[in-house]
Amino acid sequence: MRPSVSVMRRYLMCRPTHFAVTYRINPWMDPTAPYDNALAVSQWETLRQTYLDLGHTVDLIDPLPGLPDMVFAANGATVVDGRVLAVQFRDAERADEAPAYAAWFREHGFDVTVPKHTNEGEGDILLAGDIMLAGTGFRTSHASHAETQEVLQRPVITLQLVDPAYYHLDTALCVLDDTNVAYFPPAFSPGSQAVLRQLYPHAIIANAEDAAVLGLNAVSDGRTVVLPVQATHLTAELKAAGYQTIGVDVSELRKAGGGPKCCTLEVRSS
Ligand code: ARG
């Protein structure tokens, strides 16, 4: 078994009160397909309770009407050492979420930097030990990677995403702890795959079935990985590597292209 290295985490979440699929900004979204708001809320409540049961803290931001994707709090900011890099969305449909999240952080005493370049927060920018892994190709701009390094003061490694189904880094890669990740190689360019192999020779490799249920959109506290219950192969691989796993069903939110990690922004105070 892996030693227990989990620490209490502080997460920010947004109840999916106004969740809906009314536009299409990624291939998972079909505005003509039915969705069940009440089911989305109850699945989200289970996810929140899972974190509380693990001993983590969950802060809540008020959901705003007219912003159906605001439930995806990971896209609200990137927070490292108490420094907050706010976000700038690619799509107009989500633009008003950015000032709402920035305001929450200011109200809670954080120093917030408003970005000059498009970045969608922890959807594409993931702290991995002492470095940051940053995706680009669909949402977060390459220019924002330099801005991220400047503001958050950690080395940033650029990873090129190539499959529109895996449009955010957190749909294709999960940081498991300070030294390891799980990922789906075909979501990355050949050069980025080589970089990932070099950085993480012992990475857990997800298969196409795991990726297709957004299995990599998982949240790890270093010991327990909370991931979509449908990702059975990835779950078995994680267990074999010594991680504990908790499967959650967020199938309604997947209709918007999101999973557990998308709903969860880590607040790292200094
Ligand atoms: N519908 C949202 C979008 O396309 C889903 C965001 C998912 N969030 C994430 N961190 N991957 O922007």
Side-chain angles (χ1 to χ4, degrees):
M1 284 296 287
R2 298 180 63 82
S4 170
V5 289
S6 66
V7 290
M8 271 200 42
R9 307 287 172 131
R10 181 179 179 192
Y11 297 131
L12 177 61
M13 298 180 75
C14 180
R15 187 174 272 103
T17 311
H18 307 291
F19 174 73
V21 183
T22 53
Y23 50 77
R24 181 180 168 91
I25 57 173
N26 71 55
W28 303 80
M29 303 176 87
D30 177 0
T32 66
Y35 60 88
D36 182 339
N37 178 275
L39 182 57
V41 171
S42 78
Q43 291 178 338
W44 177 93
E45 290 286 0
T46 301
L47 177 64
R48 173 170 170 260
Q49 191 60 47
T50 300
Y51 296 140
L52 296 174
D53 291 346
L54 285 167
H56 303 315
T57 301
V58 179
D59 286 300
L60 297 176
I61 181 173
D62 288 336
L64 296 175
L67 296 174
D69 275 336
M70 194 170 168
V71 58
F72 300 118
N75 299 126
T78 309
V79 190
V80 177
D81 299 331
R83 295 189 184 93
V84 178
L85 178 61
V87 300
Q88 180 181 306
F89 286 93
R90 181 195 68 176
D91 298 291
E93 290 90 339
R94 299 197 65 186
D96 289 346
E97 295 178 43
Y101 277 96
W104 188 93
F105 280 100
R106 280 193 205 96
E107 282 157 19
H108 288 78
F110 289 84
D111 188 19
V112 177
T113 301
V114 174
K116 293 189 183 65
H117 301 284
T118 300
N119 93 71
E120 299 199 355
E122 279 203 330
D124 274 318
I125 305 170
L126 296 172
L127 183 68
D130 293 334
I131 65 169
M132 312 213 57
L133 303 175
T136 190
F138 297 101
R139 301 291 184 89
T140 294
S141 67
H142 187 217
S144 77
H145 293 185
E147 183 172 38
T148 299
Q149 177 165 284
E150 200 58 35
V151 174
L152 300 178
Q153 302 176 17
R154 299 288 181 104
V156 171
I157 304 274
T158 290
L159 297 170
Q160 194 73 41
L161 296 165
V162 296
D163 182 338
Y166 306 113
Y167 56 96
H168 276 143
L169 180 62
D170 73 356
T171 63
L173 182 145
C174 171
V175 174
L176 297 171
D177 54 38
D178 285 354
T179 59
N180 209 8
V181 301
Y183 68 102
F184 179 53
F188 297 91
S189 68
S192 294
Q193 289 183 36
V195 167
L196 286 168
R197 282 196 300 273
Q198 184 190 327
L199 287 174
Y200 303 107
H202 306 297
I204 291 175
I205 303 298
N207 67 20
E209 287 73 33
D210 297 322
V213 293
L214 288 178
L216 289 157
N217 198 255
V219 176
S220 176
D221 63 14
R223 187 168 65 125
T224 302
V225 184
V226 178
L227 78 167
V229 68
Q230 295 86 359
T232 50
H233 164 267
L234 180 58
T235 299
E237 293 289 307
L238 289 166
K239 284 194 171 126
Y243 295 94
Q244 294 181 14
T245 62
I246 299 178
V248 290
D249 186 7
V250 289
S251 56
E252 279 309 298
L253 298 166
R254 194 163 71 231
K255 293 177 180 173
K261 170 60 202 165
C262 298
C263 297
T264 313
L265 175 60
E266 187 161 350
V267 182
R268 301 180 187 87
S269 306
S270 48

